[in-house]
Amino acid sequence: MYGLVNRALQQLVCARCGDAVWQEIRAHAGVQEEVFMRMDSYPDEVTHRLVAAASEVLETPAADLLKEFGRYWMKYTMVEGYGALLSDLGPTLHDALAALDGMHARVSLLYPALKPPMFKLMDVSGDAMSLHYHSERVGFAPMIVGLVEGLGERYGVAVEVRHVAAKGEHSDHDRFDIRVLGPAAPQAASR
């Protein structure tokens, strides 16, 4: 996993709970790195330990944290200089979901050791669609729910995302059913 992901997790926790809580999570996870270099590759185990420790320290299920992280990731990557890539996904949520593999191919040029997931949009019917998620990584499916919700916000639509098939004994990948509910509620102005 590239350091960009771990840095985003750190910034999410610090924004939500402060640096002292992040330091507690890092210590609980047994992670020595105080700073993650965004272009450096780290073992996936580091990210798994950080998520598990955050779940314990924050007393929040890991799936809920990963979902929140997925939403945060959409905003974080915009600020970190990937806004143009996200803008090139297309004019609608459907277009963006259909273009995720192309975006990852472009990101792979920046991150040569990247092992990106594969996405396939299927069963599109009106405001309903199915997103198939193939990844060699295990345990990050809840993040996809947050990512799709975050993309929906970006495109001004509210979405319902259901994780209907999990990678495991009966499936070689995860599947998410997505339904566009309508325009997103306006965001409250921050002070």
Side-chain angles (χ1 to χ4, degrees):
M1 192 83 61
Y2 274 95
L4 182 67
V5 173
N6 296 329
R7 279 178 63 163
L9 181 59
Q10 177 181 359
Q11 289 187 18
L12 171 62
V13 170
C14 287
R16 180 177 160 192
C17 305
D19 187 61
V21 173
W22 170 254
Q23 296 305 327
E24 180 183 353
I25 289 167
R26 192 175 61 77
H28 189 66
V31 172
Q32 300 301 313
E33 291 87 351
E34 291 186 32
V35 176
F36 292 101
M37 305 306 293
R38 74 183 214 173
M39 298 294 280
D40 287 356
S41 185
Y42 297 85
D44 288 356
E45 180 59 27
V46 170
T47 308
H48 283 290
R49 289 193 335 251
L50 287 168
V51 169
S55 175
E56 289 181 34
V57 170
L58 300 175
E59 299 178 351
T60 303
D64 292 350
L65 288 173
L66 286 168
K67 181 179 171 184
E68 181 181 355
F69 179 71
R71 292 177 79 104
Y72 181 79
W73 181 253
M74 292 306 306
K75 296 172 184 140
Y76 177 79
T77 53
M78 292 290 292
V79 173
E80 284 294 308
Y82 299 94
L85 280 173
L86 292 172
S87 295
D88 286 346
L89 289 177
T92 68
L93 176 63
H94 172 274
D95 294 334
L97 293 171
L100 287 175
D101 277 350
M103 180 201 63
H104 279 112
R106 291 173 63 191
V107 170
S108 293
L109 297 173
L110 298 170
Y111 297 92
L114 184 68
K115 297 174 188 169
M118 292 183 355
F119 293 93
K120 186 170 186 179
L121 191 63
M122 299 176 65
D123 305 324
V124 177
S125 174
D127 288 336
M129 58 199 101
S130 182
L131 184 66
H132 296 252
Y133 166 68
H134 299 262
S135 178
E136 64 182 48
R137 293 183 170 94
V138 177
F140 291 102
M143 182 179 167
I144 303 305
V145 174
L147 284 169
V148 173
E149 289 175 351
L151 268 175
E153 286 177 14
R154 178 166 166 68
Y155 286 93
V157 295
V159 294
E160 175 186 71
V161 184
R162 291 185 2 216
H163 187 196
V164 295
K167 180 179 178 176
E169 185 177 324
H170 299 292
S171 180
D172 68 344
H173 68 282
D174 293 275
R175 190 182 100 220
F176 303 87
D177 285 350
I178 303 164
R179 192 164 58 97
V180 176
L181 303 174
Q187 297 291 318
S190 56
R191 295 180 185 237

